[in-house]
Amino acid sequence: MRFSTRGHYGLKAMFDLAQHYGTAPVPLKSIAERQNLSVQYLEQLIAMLKKAGLVKSVRGAQGGYMLAYSPEEIKVGEVIRALEGPVAPVDCVNEFDPKECDQADFCITRIVWEKIRNSIAQVMDSITLADLCREAKRRENEAGEELNLKRGF
Amino acid sequence: MRFSTRGHYGLKAMFDLAQHYGTAPVPLKSIAERQNLSVQYLEQLIAMLKKAGLVKSVRGAQGGYMLAYSPEEIKVGEVIRALEGPVAPVDCVNEFDPKECDQADFCITRIVWEKIRNSIAQVMDSITLADLCREAKRRENEAGEELNLKRGF
DNA sequence: TTCATATCCGAGTAATTTACTATGGTATCA
DNA sequence: TGATACCATAGTAAATTACTCGGATATGAA
């Protein structure tokens, strides 16, 4: 069981955009360098995110991408769903259009997949990009303090 | 994001075996019929489950498969891991051998994947085959009572 | 003894998905 | 006008999935 690199890389890109929220548009090239990804592949992923209405773009020189909303308003779940599709550990418990299954009424194992689906969705929908930025800042501070400790302060 | 049919079908088969626990060995053919699966594909899945030590087999006529332990002792997580491998939404948060990532120390999005991994594992490891059997029985009774209601009792 | 029933085991395979790359546009700023 | 970006489509090698096929081996029952 795994997510594809789309969700993996795409979330990195969105986190990067969140950290630059409010500044000039960020070109893909710089995201690619910071996050260690290929520009061409990123282009595909960001196109999906744009289609989903999560990012805006500015074309031409000095152009780039930016979040369509504030990091506080964008849930990780929206990002991942835009790239990976609906949460659906198995087809018959797809969160949006479950595939009809003749055994639906008496299939007990279905319970397991529903619970897995719900727990994944719960995690994804309870974290915003802003949460990730705060955590990043927290870690920076922590690292600084450790450095101070080392230095004897 | 999805599990493969291995986990899906394999769990069905294990639930079937759990419901026949304590009786004669159950041939694959009968599982295949009840759960609406192909015998030949099931053979592959049950081989993985046997390798993992979750089922025992009896060869020859009147042979078949049975759980290696009581349904109470077998967690859904063991079954799914035997068929799908370790829980690892992305490689760098594989629950057993995380793939080394040069960014591990400062990769913030990693937090998301770890939480998803943990929530999946938590669900899988908190449900036993016995739980599923109990739920099946509960539903049977419920259905019976509804029938009685309909009949005017 | 032999036959039907089962498990066992390895190979093969069509279809799909993944994770990209390549090419050639189009818009915009300096 | 040219450098910088976004935009769009196509192609593709590799891996994975979801199976099937063929045949060997074991065992209980007639």
PDB file of all heavy atoms in Angstrom, chain A residues 1 3 87 112 115-124 126-127, chain B residues 3 81 87 89 95 111-127:
ATOM      1  N   MET A   1       0.835  -1.195   0.000  1.00  0.00           N
ATOM      2  CA  MET A   1       0.000   0.000   0.000  1.00  0.00           C
ATOM      3  C   MET A   1       0.874   1.251   0.000  1.00  0.00           C
ATOM      4  O   MET A   1       1.618   1.503   0.919  1.00  0.00           O
ATOM      5  CB  MET A   1      -0.863  -0.014   1.255  1.00  0.00           C
ATOM      6  CG  MET A   1      -1.997   0.959   1.270  1.00  0.00           C
ATOM      7  SD  MET A   1      -1.556   2.697   1.255  1.00  0.00           S
ATOM      8  CE  MET A   1      -0.602   2.815   2.759  1.00  0.00           C
ATOM      9  N   PHE A   3       1.114   5.563  -1.540  1.00  0.00           N
ATOM     10  CA  PHE A   3       0.734   6.684  -2.362  1.00  0.00           C
ATOM     11  C   PHE A   3       1.780   6.789  -3.464  1.00  0.00           C
ATOM     12  O   PHE A   3       2.895   6.283  -3.342  1.00  0.00           O
ATOM     13  CB  PHE A   3       0.728   7.965  -1.518  1.00  0.00           C
ATOM     14  CG  PHE A   3      -0.436   8.040  -0.567  1.00  0.00           C
ATOM     15  CD1 PHE A   3      -0.423   7.342   0.617  1.00  0.00           C
ATOM     16  CD2 PHE A   3      -1.545   8.809  -0.871  1.00  0.00           C
ATOM     17  CE1 PHE A   3      -1.501   7.403   1.500  1.00  0.00           C
ATOM     18  CE2 PHE A   3      -2.615   8.882   0.003  1.00  0.00           C
ATOM     19  CZ  PHE A   3      -2.594   8.179   1.188  1.00  0.00           C
ATOM     20  N   VAL A  87      -9.790   9.153  -1.551  1.00  0.00           N
ATOM     21  CA  VAL A  87      -9.276   8.100  -0.680  1.00  0.00           C
ATOM     22  C   VAL A  87     -10.112   6.851  -0.878  1.00  0.00           C
ATOM     23  O   VAL A  87     -11.338   6.907  -0.715  1.00  0.00           O
ATOM     24  CB  VAL A  87      -9.327   8.528   0.801  1.00  0.00           C
ATOM     25  CG1 VAL A  87      -8.783   7.425   1.689  1.00  0.00           C
ATOM     26  CG2 VAL A  87      -8.551   9.820   1.007  1.00  0.00           C
ATOM     27  N   VAL A 112     -13.477  -3.034   7.799  1.00  0.00           N
ATOM     28  CA  VAL A 112     -12.051  -2.751   7.970  1.00  0.00           C
ATOM     29  C   VAL A 112     -11.609  -1.652   7.027  1.00  0.00           C
ATOM     30  O   VAL A 112     -10.973  -0.678   7.437  1.00  0.00           O
ATOM     31  CB  VAL A 112     -11.217  -4.021   7.711  1.00  0.00           C
ATOM     32  CG1 VAL A 112      -9.735  -3.687   7.699  1.00  0.00           C
ATOM     33  CG2 VAL A 112     -11.532  -5.091   8.735  1.00  0.00           C
ATOM     34  N   LYS A 115     -12.953   1.764   7.896  1.00  0.00           N
ATOM     35  CA  LYS A 115     -12.246   2.384   9.033  1.00  0.00           C
ATOM     36  C   LYS A 115     -10.880   2.903   8.598  1.00  0.00           C
ATOM     37  O   LYS A 115     -10.445   3.968   9.036  1.00  0.00           O
ATOM     38  CB  LYS A 115     -12.084   1.366  10.170  1.00  0.00           C
ATOM     39  CG  LYS A 115     -13.356   1.130  10.927  1.00  0.00           C
ATOM     40  CD  LYS A 115     -13.106   0.401  12.253  1.00  0.00           C
ATOM     41  CE  LYS A 115     -14.413   0.310  13.040  1.00  0.00           C
ATOM     42  NZ  LYS A 115     -14.253  -0.400  14.317  1.00  0.00           N
ATOM     43  N   ILE A 116     -10.202   2.158   7.748  1.00  0.00           N
ATOM     44  CA  ILE A 116      -8.898   2.611   7.248  1.00  0.00           C
ATOM     45  C   ILE A 116      -9.084   3.900   6.442  1.00  0.00           C
ATOM     46  O   ILE A 116      -8.373   4.885   6.634  1.00  0.00           O
ATOM     47  CB  ILE A 116      -8.229   1.508   6.399  1.00  0.00           C
ATOM     48  CG1 ILE A 116      -7.751   0.370   7.311  1.00  0.00           C
ATOM     49  CG2 ILE A 116      -7.065   2.076   5.588  1.00  0.00           C
ATOM     50  CD1 ILE A 116      -7.163  -0.820   6.579  1.00  0.00           C
ATOM     51  N   ARG A 117     -10.064   3.865   5.538  1.00  0.00           N
ATOM     52  CA  ARG A 117     -10.357   5.062   4.739  1.00  0.00           C
ATOM     53  C   ARG A 117     -10.621   6.268   5.629  1.00  0.00           C
ATOM     54  O   ARG A 117     -10.034   7.333   5.445  1.00  0.00           O
ATOM     55  CB  ARG A 117     -11.581   4.812   3.867  1.00  0.00           C
ATOM     56  CG  ARG A 117     -11.981   6.018   3.036  1.00  0.00           C
ATOM     57  CD  ARG A 117     -13.415   5.879   2.545  1.00  0.00           C
ATOM     58  NE  ARG A 117     -14.356   5.838   3.676  1.00  0.00           N
ATOM     59  CZ  ARG A 117     -15.606   5.423   3.587  1.00  0.00           C
ATOM     60  NH1 ARG A 117     -16.081   5.003   2.438  1.00  0.00           N
ATOM     61  NH2 ARG A 117     -16.388   5.405   4.661  1.00  0.00           N
ATOM     62  N   ASN A 118     -11.484   6.081   6.639  1.00  0.00           N
ATOM     63  CA  ASN A 118     -11.843   7.208   7.499  1.00  0.00           C
ATOM     64  C   ASN A 118     -10.650   7.732   8.290  1.00  0.00           C
ATOM     65  O   ASN A 118     -10.512   8.938   8.475  1.00  0.00           O
ATOM     66  CB  ASN A 118     -12.957   6.796   8.457  1.00  0.00           C
ATOM     67  CG  ASN A 118     -14.264   6.539   7.729  1.00  0.00           C
ATOM     68  OD1 ASN A 118     -14.413   6.926   6.563  1.00  0.00           O
ATOM     69  ND2 ASN A 118     -15.198   5.873   8.386  1.00  0.00           N
ATOM     70  N   SER A 119      -9.796   6.836   8.712  1.00  0.00           N
ATOM     71  CA  SER A 119      -8.668   7.296   9.527  1.00  0.00           C
ATOM     72  C   SER A 119      -7.661   8.050   8.669  1.00  0.00           C
ATOM     73  O   SER A 119      -7.063   9.028   9.104  1.00  0.00           O
ATOM     74  CB  SER A 119      -8.016   6.128  10.262  1.00  0.00           C
ATOM     75  OG  SER A 119      -7.200   5.382   9.395  1.00  0.00           O
ATOM     76  N   ILE A 120      -7.491   7.629   7.425  1.00  0.00           N
ATOM     77  CA  ILE A 120      -6.611   8.358   6.509  1.00  0.00           C
ATOM     78  C   ILE A 120      -7.182   9.750   6.251  1.00  0.00           C
ATOM     79  O   ILE A 120      -6.489  10.760   6.363  1.00  0.00           O
ATOM     80  CB  ILE A 120      -6.468   7.601   5.169  1.00  0.00           C
ATOM     81  CG1 ILE A 120      -5.733   6.282   5.364  1.00  0.00           C
ATOM     82  CG2 ILE A 120      -5.727   8.468   4.147  1.00  0.00           C
ATOM     83  CD1 ILE A 120      -5.719   5.392   4.131  1.00  0.00           C
ATOM     84  N   ALA A 121      -8.468   9.795   5.935  1.00  0.00           N
ATOM     85  CA  ALA A 121      -9.115  11.065   5.628  1.00  0.00           C
ATOM     86  C   ALA A 121      -9.064  11.997   6.841  1.00  0.00           C
ATOM     87  O   ALA A 121      -8.828  13.198   6.699  1.00  0.00           O
ATOM     88  CB  ALA A 121     -10.561  10.830   5.200  1.00  0.00           C
ATOM     89  N   GLN A 122      -9.237  11.420   8.011  1.00  0.00           N
ATOM     90  CA  GLN A 122      -9.247  12.236   9.232  1.00  0.00           C
ATOM     91  C   GLN A 122      -7.896  12.919   9.420  1.00  0.00           C
ATOM     92  O   GLN A 122      -7.832  14.104   9.741  1.00  0.00           O
ATOM     93  CB  GLN A 122      -9.588  11.349  10.435  1.00  0.00           C
ATOM     94  CG  GLN A 122     -10.054  12.114  11.668  1.00  0.00           C
ATOM     95  CD  GLN A 122      -8.875  12.652  12.464  1.00  0.00           C
ATOM     96  OE1 GLN A 122      -7.825  12.005  12.525  1.00  0.00           O
ATOM     97  NE2 GLN A 122      -9.034  13.825  13.057  1.00  0.00           N
ATOM     98  N   VAL A 123      -6.817  12.171   9.202  1.00  0.00           N
ATOM     99  CA  VAL A 123      -5.475  12.753   9.345  1.00  0.00           C
ATOM    100  C   VAL A 123      -5.269  13.854   8.300  1.00  0.00           C
ATOM    101  O   VAL A 123      -4.878  14.979   8.619  1.00  0.00           O
ATOM    102  CB  VAL A 123      -4.378  11.679   9.192  1.00  0.00           C
ATOM    103  CG1 VAL A 123      -2.995  12.312   9.106  1.00  0.00           C
ATOM    104  CG2 VAL A 123      -4.435  10.685  10.339  1.00  0.00           C
ATOM    105  N   MET A 124      -5.566  13.515   7.038  1.00  0.00           N
ATOM    106  CA  MET A 124      -5.334  14.458   5.943  1.00  0.00           C
ATOM    107  C   MET A 124      -6.108  15.751   6.120  1.00  0.00           C
ATOM    108  O   MET A 124      -5.625  16.831   5.762  1.00  0.00           O
ATOM    109  CB  MET A 124      -5.761  13.822   4.612  1.00  0.00           C
ATOM    110  CG  MET A 124      -4.844  12.714   4.141  1.00  0.00           C
ATOM    111  SD  MET A 124      -5.220  12.058   2.467  1.00  0.00           S
ATOM    112  CE  MET A 124      -6.790  12.753   2.058  1.00  0.00           C
ATOM    113  N   SER A 126      -7.157  17.116   8.888  1.00  0.00           N
ATOM    114  CA  SER A 126      -6.962  17.839  10.149  1.00  0.00           C
ATOM    115  C   SER A 126      -5.629  18.579  10.166  1.00  0.00           C
ATOM    116  O   SER A 126      -5.256  19.180  11.162  1.00  0.00           O
ATOM    117  CB  SER A 126      -7.042  16.856  11.326  1.00  0.00           C
ATOM    118  OG  SER A 126      -5.945  15.966  11.287  1.00  0.00           O
ATOM    119  N   ILE A 127      -4.899  18.530   9.044  1.00  0.00           N
ATOM    120  CA  ILE A 127      -3.626  19.255   8.960  1.00  0.00           C
ATOM    121  C   ILE A 127      -3.713  20.269   7.821  1.00  0.00           C
ATOM    122  O   ILE A 127      -4.120  19.924   6.715  1.00  0.00           O
ATOM    123  CB  ILE A 127      -2.460  18.278   8.677  1.00  0.00           C
ATOM    124  CG1 ILE A 127      -2.436  17.153   9.717  1.00  0.00           C
ATOM    125  CG2 ILE A 127      -1.120  19.032   8.679  1.00  0.00           C
ATOM    126  CD1 ILE A 127      -1.391  16.077   9.439  1.00  0.00           C
TER     127      ILE A 127
ATOM    128  N   PHE B   3      -5.072  -0.199  -1.763  1.00  0.00           N
ATOM    129  CA  PHE B   3      -4.497  -1.510  -1.504  1.00  0.00           C
ATOM    130  C   PHE B   3      -4.775  -2.339  -2.740  1.00  0.00           C
ATOM    131  O   PHE B   3      -5.666  -2.027  -3.531  1.00  0.00           O
ATOM    132  CB  PHE B   3      -5.165  -2.142  -0.286  1.00  0.00           C
ATOM    133  CG  PHE B   3      -4.733  -1.512   1.014  1.00  0.00           C
ATOM    134  CD1 PHE B   3      -5.267  -0.309   1.431  1.00  0.00           C
ATOM    135  CD2 PHE B   3      -3.792  -2.132   1.818  1.00  0.00           C
ATOM    136  CE1 PHE B   3      -4.866   0.282   2.620  1.00  0.00           C
ATOM    137  CE2 PHE B   3      -3.389  -1.556   3.010  1.00  0.00           C
ATOM    138  CZ  PHE B   3      -3.929  -0.344   3.408  1.00  0.00           C
ATOM    139  N   ARG B  81      -0.539  -7.190   6.190  1.00  0.00           N
ATOM    140  CA  ARG B  81       0.905  -7.066   5.993  1.00  0.00           C
ATOM    141  C   ARG B  81       1.486  -8.274   5.278  1.00  0.00           C
ATOM    142  O   ARG B  81       2.398  -8.150   4.462  1.00  0.00           O
ATOM    143  CB  ARG B  81       1.607  -6.873   7.330  1.00  0.00           C
ATOM    144  CG  ARG B  81       1.434  -5.478   7.906  1.00  0.00           C
ATOM    145  CD  ARG B  81       2.394  -5.233   9.061  1.00  0.00           C
ATOM    146  NE  ARG B  81       2.064  -3.996   9.758  1.00  0.00           N
ATOM    147  CZ  ARG B  81       1.196  -3.908  10.765  1.00  0.00           C
ATOM    148  NH1 ARG B  81       0.567  -4.992  11.183  1.00  0.00           N
ATOM    149  NH2 ARG B  81       0.963  -2.739  11.330  1.00  0.00           N
ATOM    150  N   VAL B  87       3.286  -1.360   6.054  1.00  0.00           N
ATOM    151  CA  VAL B  87       2.562  -0.117   5.808  1.00  0.00           C
ATOM    152  C   VAL B  87       3.578   0.972   5.486  1.00  0.00           C
ATOM    153  O   VAL B  87       4.485   1.223   6.275  1.00  0.00           O
ATOM    154  CB  VAL B  87       1.719   0.298   7.030  1.00  0.00           C
ATOM    155  CG1 VAL B  87       0.972   1.592   6.744  1.00  0.00           C
ATOM    156  CG2 VAL B  87       0.742  -0.796   7.405  1.00  0.00           C
ATOM    157  N   PRO B  89       3.010   4.456   3.245  1.00  0.00           N
ATOM    158  CA  PRO B  89       2.369   5.359   2.288  1.00  0.00           C
ATOM    159  C   PRO B  89       3.382   5.977   1.328  1.00  0.00           C
ATOM    160  O   PRO B  89       3.090   6.139   0.157  1.00  0.00           O
ATOM    161  CB  PRO B  89       1.702   6.404   3.161  1.00  0.00           C
ATOM    162  CG  PRO B  89       2.220   6.221   4.546  1.00  0.00           C
ATOM    163  CD  PRO B  89       2.694   4.823   4.638  1.00  0.00           C
ATOM    164  N   GLU B  95       7.153   1.314   7.647  1.00  0.00           N
ATOM    165  CA  GLU B  95       7.122   1.040   9.093  1.00  0.00           C
ATOM    166  C   GLU B  95       8.238   0.110   9.547  1.00  0.00           C
ATOM    167  O   GLU B  95       8.557   0.060  10.728  1.00  0.00           O
ATOM    168  CB  GLU B  95       5.759   0.507   9.539  1.00  0.00           C
ATOM    169  CG  GLU B  95       5.370  -0.825   8.920  1.00  0.00           C
ATOM    170  CD  GLU B  95       3.998  -1.325   9.390  1.00  0.00           C
ATOM    171  OE1 GLU B  95       3.492  -0.883  10.429  1.00  0.00           O
ATOM    172  OE2 GLU B  95       3.435  -2.185   8.695  1.00  0.00           O
ATOM    173  N   ILE B 111       6.042  14.453   8.276  1.00  0.00           N
ATOM    174  CA  ILE B 111       5.132  14.349   9.417  1.00  0.00           C
ATOM    175  C   ILE B 111       3.769  13.825   8.972  1.00  0.00           C
ATOM    176  O   ILE B 111       3.172  12.971   9.619  1.00  0.00           O
ATOM    177  CB  ILE B 111       4.910  15.737  10.056  1.00  0.00           C
ATOM    178  CG1 ILE B 111       6.242  16.326  10.515  1.00  0.00           C
ATOM    179  CG2 ILE B 111       3.925  15.659  11.201  1.00  0.00           C
ATOM    180  CD1 ILE B 111       6.107  17.788  10.939  1.00  0.00           C
ATOM    181  N   VAL B 112       3.295  14.348   7.848  1.00  0.00           N
ATOM    182  CA  VAL B 112       1.980  13.950   7.339  1.00  0.00           C
ATOM    183  C   VAL B 112       1.949  12.458   7.063  1.00  0.00           C
ATOM    184  O   VAL B 112       1.039  11.746   7.486  1.00  0.00           O
ATOM    185  CB  VAL B 112       1.649  14.723   6.042  1.00  0.00           C
ATOM    186  CG1 VAL B 112       0.383  14.179   5.403  1.00  0.00           C
ATOM    187  CG2 VAL B 112       1.528  16.211   6.325  1.00  0.00           C
ATOM    188  N   TRP B 113       2.981  11.987   6.355  1.00  0.00           N
ATOM    189  CA  TRP B 113       2.998  10.580   5.965  1.00  0.00           C
ATOM    190  C   TRP B 113       3.164   9.659   7.169  1.00  0.00           C
ATOM    191  O   TRP B 113       2.597   8.568   7.210  1.00  0.00           O
ATOM    192  CB  TRP B 113       4.091  10.331   4.924  1.00  0.00           C
ATOM    193  CG  TRP B 113       3.949  11.247   3.744  1.00  0.00           C
ATOM    194  CD1 TRP B 113       4.788  12.252   3.377  1.00  0.00           C
ATOM    195  CD2 TRP B 113       2.880  11.256   2.783  1.00  0.00           C
ATOM    196  NE1 TRP B 113       4.306  12.889   2.254  1.00  0.00           N
ATOM    197  CE2 TRP B 113       3.143  12.296   1.870  1.00  0.00           C
ATOM    198  CE3 TRP B 113       1.724  10.489   2.620  1.00  0.00           C
ATOM    199  CZ2 TRP B 113       2.290  12.589   0.797  1.00  0.00           C
ATOM    200  CZ3 TRP B 113       0.875  10.778   1.556  1.00  0.00           C
ATOM    201  CH2 TRP B 113       1.159  11.811   0.665  1.00  0.00           C
ATOM    202  N   GLU B 114       3.906  10.112   8.145  1.00  0.00           N
ATOM    203  CA  GLU B 114       4.049   9.309   9.367  1.00  0.00           C
ATOM    204  C   GLU B 114       2.715   9.182  10.079  1.00  0.00           C
ATOM    205  O   GLU B 114       2.358   8.102  10.554  1.00  0.00           O
ATOM    206  CB  GLU B 114       5.082   9.956  10.305  1.00  0.00           C
ATOM    207  CG  GLU B 114       6.518   9.627   9.912  1.00  0.00           C
ATOM    208  CD  GLU B 114       7.542  10.420  10.726  1.00  0.00           C
ATOM    209  OE1 GLU B 114       7.153  11.411  11.397  1.00  0.00           O
ATOM    210  OE2 GLU B 114       8.726  10.063  10.669  1.00  0.00           O
ATOM    211  N   LYS B 115       1.990  10.280  10.128  1.00  0.00           N
ATOM    212  CA  LYS B 115       0.685  10.233  10.806  1.00  0.00           C
ATOM    213  C   LYS B 115      -0.285   9.331  10.063  1.00  0.00           C
ATOM    214  O   LYS B 115      -1.062   8.600  10.671  1.00  0.00           O
ATOM    215  CB  LYS B 115       0.101  11.645  10.932  1.00  0.00           C
ATOM    216  CG  LYS B 115       0.782  12.455  12.020  1.00  0.00           C
ATOM    217  CD  LYS B 115      -0.017  13.709  12.351  1.00  0.00           C
ATOM    218  CE  LYS B 115       0.634  14.439  13.530  1.00  0.00           C
ATOM    219  NZ  LYS B 115      -0.104  15.635  13.932  1.00  0.00           N
ATOM    220  N   ILE B 116      -0.251   9.407   8.731  1.00  0.00           N
ATOM    221  CA  ILE B 116      -1.122   8.537   7.936  1.00  0.00           C
ATOM    222  C   ILE B 116      -0.749   7.066   8.173  1.00  0.00           C
ATOM    223  O   ILE B 116      -1.603   6.226   8.436  1.00  0.00           O
ATOM    224  CB  ILE B 116      -1.027   8.899   6.437  1.00  0.00           C
ATOM    225  CG1 ILE B 116      -1.721  10.245   6.181  1.00  0.00           C
ATOM    226  CG2 ILE B 116      -1.636   7.799   5.569  1.00  0.00           C
ATOM    227  CD1 ILE B 116      -1.610  10.757   4.757  1.00  0.00           C
ATOM    228  N   ARG B 117       0.549   6.806   8.111  1.00  0.00           N
ATOM    229  CA  ARG B 117       1.022   5.440   8.367  1.00  0.00           C
ATOM    230  C   ARG B 117       0.539   4.943   9.722  1.00  0.00           C
ATOM    231  O   ARG B 117      -0.012   3.848   9.831  1.00  0.00           O
ATOM    232  CB  ARG B 117       2.544   5.397   8.319  1.00  0.00           C
ATOM    233  CG  ARG B 117       3.117   4.031   8.630  1.00  0.00           C
ATOM    234  CD  ARG B 117       4.583   4.120   9.027  1.00  0.00           C
ATOM    235  NE  ARG B 117       4.750   4.911  10.247  1.00  0.00           N
ATOM    236  CZ  ARG B 117       5.894   5.441  10.645  1.00  0.00           C
ATOM    237  NH1 ARG B 117       6.993   5.264   9.924  1.00  0.00           N
ATOM    238  NH2 ARG B 117       5.964   6.136  11.763  1.00  0.00           N
ATOM    239  N   ASN B 118       0.734   5.756  10.751  1.00  0.00           N
ATOM    240  CA  ASN B 118       0.373   5.327  12.099  1.00  0.00           C
ATOM    241  C   ASN B 118      -1.132   5.097  12.242  1.00  0.00           C
ATOM    242  O   ASN B 118      -1.543   4.161  12.922  1.00  0.00           O
ATOM    243  CB  ASN B 118       0.841   6.362  13.120  1.00  0.00           C
ATOM    244  CG  ASN B 118       2.350   6.417  13.210  1.00  0.00           C
ATOM    245  OD1 ASN B 118       3.045   5.517  12.731  1.00  0.00           O
ATOM    246  ND2 ASN B 118       2.873   7.470  13.805  1.00  0.00           N
ATOM    247  N   SER B 119      -1.914   5.925  11.585  1.00  0.00           N
ATOM    248  CA  SER B 119      -3.353   5.763  11.745  1.00  0.00           C
ATOM    249  C   SER B 119      -3.844   4.511  11.025  1.00  0.00           C
ATOM    250  O   SER B 119      -4.741   3.826  11.503  1.00  0.00           O
ATOM    251  CB  SER B 119      -4.096   7.010  11.268  1.00  0.00           C
ATOM    252  OG  SER B 119      -4.171   7.051   9.861  1.00  0.00           O
ATOM    253  N   ILE B 120      -3.225   4.206   9.899  1.00  0.00           N
ATOM    254  CA  ILE B 120      -3.577   2.959   9.201  1.00  0.00           C
ATOM    255  C   ILE B 120      -3.215   1.757  10.068  1.00  0.00           C
ATOM    256  O   ILE B 120      -4.017   0.847  10.286  1.00  0.00           O
ATOM    257  CB  ILE B 120      -2.843   2.858   7.847  1.00  0.00           C
ATOM    258  CG1 ILE B 120      -3.330   3.941   6.883  1.00  0.00           C
ATOM    259  CG2 ILE B 120      -3.043   1.473   7.224  1.00  0.00           C
ATOM    260  CD1 ILE B 120      -2.514   4.040   5.605  1.00  0.00           C
ATOM    261  N   ALA B 121      -1.979   1.781  10.585  1.00  0.00           N
ATOM    262  CA  ALA B 121      -1.503   0.661  11.399  1.00  0.00           C
ATOM    263  C   ALA B 121      -2.372   0.499  12.646  1.00  0.00           C
ATOM    264  O   ALA B 121      -2.707  -0.627  13.046  1.00  0.00           O
ATOM    265  CB  ALA B 121      -0.049   0.878  11.780  1.00  0.00           C
ATOM    266  N   GLN B 122      -2.765   1.623  13.214  1.00  0.00           N
ATOM    267  CA  GLN B 122      -3.560   1.570  14.441  1.00  0.00           C
ATOM    268  C   GLN B 122      -4.905   0.867  14.186  1.00  0.00           C
ATOM    269  O   GLN B 122      -5.327   0.027  14.962  1.00  0.00           O
ATOM    270  CB  GLN B 122      -3.783   2.998  14.959  1.00  0.00           C
ATOM    271  CG  GLN B 122      -4.201   3.074  16.436  1.00  0.00           C
ATOM    272  CD  GLN B 122      -5.699   2.867  16.597  1.00  0.00           C
ATOM    273  OE1 GLN B 122      -6.480   3.282  15.748  1.00  0.00           O
ATOM    274  NE2 GLN B 122      -6.092   2.196  17.677  1.00  0.00           N
ATOM    275  N   VAL B 123      -5.529   1.204  13.064  1.00  0.00           N
ATOM    276  CA  VAL B 123      -6.806   0.554  12.733  1.00  0.00           C
ATOM    277  C   VAL B 123      -6.597  -0.943  12.499  1.00  0.00           C
ATOM    278  O   VAL B 123      -7.286  -1.784  13.070  1.00  0.00           O
ATOM    279  CB  VAL B 123      -7.439   1.188  11.472  1.00  0.00           C
ATOM    280  CG1 VAL B 123      -8.635   0.370  10.996  1.00  0.00           C
ATOM    281  CG2 VAL B 123      -7.853   2.623  11.746  1.00  0.00           C
ATOM    282  N   MET B 124      -5.605  -1.261  11.679  1.00  0.00           N
ATOM    283  CA  MET B 124      -5.351  -2.662  11.317  1.00  0.00           C
ATOM    284  C   MET B 124      -5.036  -3.533  12.523  1.00  0.00           C
ATOM    285  O   MET B 124      -5.413  -4.702  12.574  1.00  0.00           O
ATOM    286  CB  MET B 124      -4.169  -2.740  10.341  1.00  0.00           C
ATOM    287  CG  MET B 124      -4.487  -2.238   8.956  1.00  0.00           C
ATOM    288  SD  MET B 124      -3.172  -2.506   7.705  1.00  0.00           S
ATOM    289  CE  MET B 124      -1.752  -2.961   8.661  1.00  0.00           C
ATOM    290  N   ASP B 125      -4.324  -2.934  13.483  1.00  0.00           N
ATOM    291  CA  ASP B 125      -3.856  -3.728  14.618  1.00  0.00           C
ATOM    292  C   ASP B 125      -4.826  -3.742  15.785  1.00  0.00           C
ATOM    293  O   ASP B 125      -4.564  -4.371  16.811  1.00  0.00           O
ATOM    294  CB  ASP B 125      -2.482  -3.211  15.076  1.00  0.00           C
ATOM    295  CG  ASP B 125      -1.410  -3.492  14.031  1.00  0.00           C
ATOM    296  OD1 ASP B 125      -1.571  -4.479  13.287  1.00  0.00           O
ATOM    297  OD2 ASP B 125      -0.427  -2.733  13.954  1.00  0.00           O
ATOM    298  N   SER B 126      -5.950  -3.048  15.624  1.00  0.00           N
ATOM    299  CA  SER B 126      -6.914  -3.025  16.727  1.00  0.00           C
ATOM    300  C   SER B 126      -8.149  -3.858  16.396  1.00  0.00           C
ATOM    301  O   SER B 126      -9.101  -3.896  17.150  1.00  0.00           O
ATOM    302  CB  SER B 126      -7.317  -1.585  17.045  1.00  0.00           C
ATOM    303  OG  SER B 126      -8.056  -1.034  15.963  1.00  0.00           O
ATOM    304  N   ILE B 127      -8.110  -4.522  15.227  1.00  0.00           N
ATOM    305  CA  ILE B 127      -9.241  -5.388  14.852  1.00  0.00           C
ATOM    306  C   ILE B 127      -8.731  -6.820  14.674  1.00  0.00           C
ATOM    307  O   ILE B 127      -7.737  -7.036  13.984  1.00  0.00           O
ATOM    308  CB  ILE B 127      -9.889  -4.919  13.533  1.00  0.00           C
ATOM    309  CG1 ILE B 127     -10.296  -3.442  13.619  1.00  0.00           C
ATOM    310  CG2 ILE B 127     -11.103  -5.778  13.187  1.00  0.00           C
ATOM    311  CD1 ILE B 127     -10.797  -2.866  12.294  1.00  0.00           C
TER     312      ILE B 127
END
